[in-house]
Amino acid sequence: MLTAEQARLKARNDIVVYNEIKAIELAIIQAASDGELDVTVATTEMTNGDTAPAYYNEWKGTAPNVILRDRMNQVIASFTKLGYTLDRKTNQGTGDTFVWIAAW
């Protein structure tokens, strides 16, 4: 029988989390090179495209999804460990997706 931790790891889609982290990292590097202290990211799988509203609804609590919550928490934890703040804000252009705001 799998332990709860093993089952959670098996359910995680590591490539989604990896791609999300890498996209935010690239945006941070570009913004920092421009002398900025924060950056808004709205072009990732979690923030844009077909699956983005599901992530938004999980974040807002209107359609709970443990897997999507776990993925977002993994992304946030990755940046928190590095000393960044990573927040979500409703994308005013869509109203049903969010943007990441990374600050340093």
Side-chain angles (χ1 to χ4, degrees), residues 6-63:
Q6 290 168 327
R8 188 176 312 106
L9 290 172
K10 198 172 194 59
R12 237 180 231 151
N13 185 338
D14 291 332
I15 195 70
V16 171
V17 173
Y18 174 83
N19 287 338
E20 201 76 10
I21 290 169
K22 290 302 172 194
I24 296 168
E25 285 177 348
L26 179 59
I28 289 170
I29 290 168
Q30 291 171 336
S33 293
D34 292 339
E36 302 294 333
L37 296 175
D38 63 19
V39 66
T40 300
V41 182
T43 57
T44 66
E45 183 172 336
M46 292 183 190
T47 61
N48 188 24
D50 294 339
T51 60
Y55 283 96
Y56 177 82
N57 291 332
E58 162 42 45
W59 170 52
K60 288 299 193 177
T62 56

Side-chain angles (χ1 to χ4, degrees), residues 1 3-4 11-12 25 38-39 53 56 71 73 78 83-84 94 100:
M1 180 66 177
T3 66
R12 237 180 231 151
E25 285 177 348
D38 63 19
V39 66
Y56 177 82
R71 289 178 187 167
N73 286 342
S78 175
Y84 293 90
T94 65
W100 291 113

